[in-house]
Amino acid sequence: MGLIVRSSAIHAAGCYTTAPVNKGERIAEYTGRRIGKEEADALYTDYPVTYLFGLGDGSIVIDGFCTAMFINHSCDGNAETSEDEDGRVWITALRNIPADAEITYDYCLYEGGDDPCTCHCGADNCRGSMYSHAEIKRRKAEARKAAKKKRGKRKAAKTKSRSTS
């Protein structure tokens, strides 16, 4: 099976298979230099695009330098990633994939600062974000808490200004 990189409707460039891929078959390995998260943050502070893949707890990342780095996110991906016992990251088919199809997987991002990580996959079940369900839930709860705190400060300020008038 071969892979090629070409234009993608999801994001600039994508990774496509040149032959059919069977469910459960390994498609590619995500390779590159392994660096600490802090080093990656420093290296890519002003870069709008990165090809980083977090390992384990996210303290180590693969600074992608391979064909697999062009595999785009989809909320309904046809592949998934897994880390084996040797620390290698594989992209494996979730279902049979026809030749010439774009390979995609759910990035399930869990960090990104203020970046909304907007999703453009177009899947029927698109959640509008490349963040994981858990991260989206956490961010919404954090936003509600911040809004509630802000409302509390405004109420306190109004009460204080009324009592001093």
Side-chain angles (χ1 to χ4, degrees), residues 35-51:
I35 58 177
K37 182 191 168 313
E38 292 76 22
E39 181 181 354
D41 289 346
L43 279 171
Y44 294 105
T45 299
D46 297 322
Y47 284 77
V49 178
T50 61
Y51 298 100

Side-chain angles (χ1 to χ4, degrees), residues 110-117 131 135 138-139 142:
Y110 53 88
E111 186 181 292
D114 294 334
D115 187 346
C117 292
Y131 287 117
E135 180 64 9
R138 186 193 70 73
R139 285 171 175 257
E142 192 175 272

Side-chain angles (χ1 to χ4, degrees), residues 12 25 29 31-32 54 60 73 88 117 123 133 143-144 153 165:
E25 188 177 343
E29 182 179 3
T31 60
I60 301 291
H73 163 86
R88 296 171 75 182
C117 292
H133 290 287
R144 282 192 302 273
K153 284 182 179 181
S165 315

Side-chain angles (χ1 to χ4, degrees), residues 8-11 72-77 102 104-105 118-130:
S8 166
I10 296 173
H11 177 76
N72 284 318
H73 163 86
S74 174
C75 295
D76 188 24
E102 183 172 4
T104 59
Y105 63 87
T118 305
C119 177
H120 302 284
C121 74
D124 290 341
N125 65 338
C126 180
R127 57 187 180 268
S129 174
M130 292 184 278

Side-chain angles (χ1 to χ4, degrees), residues 77-99:
N78 54 17
E80 66 182 347
T81 63
S82 61
E83 190 177 341
D84 71 14
E85 59 279 347
D86 297 326
R88 296 171 75 182
V89 175
W90 296 97
I91 292 86
T92 306
L94 283 172
R95 54 184 170 267
N96 291 337
I97 303 171

Side-chain angles (χ1 to χ4, degrees), residues 43-66:
L43 279 171
Y44 294 105
T45 299
D46 297 322
Y47 284 77
V49 178
T50 61
Y51 298 100
L52 301 172
F53 191 101
L55 299 172
D57 66 0
S59 60
I60 301 291
V61 298
I62 298 174
D63 189 0
F65 193 74
C66 57

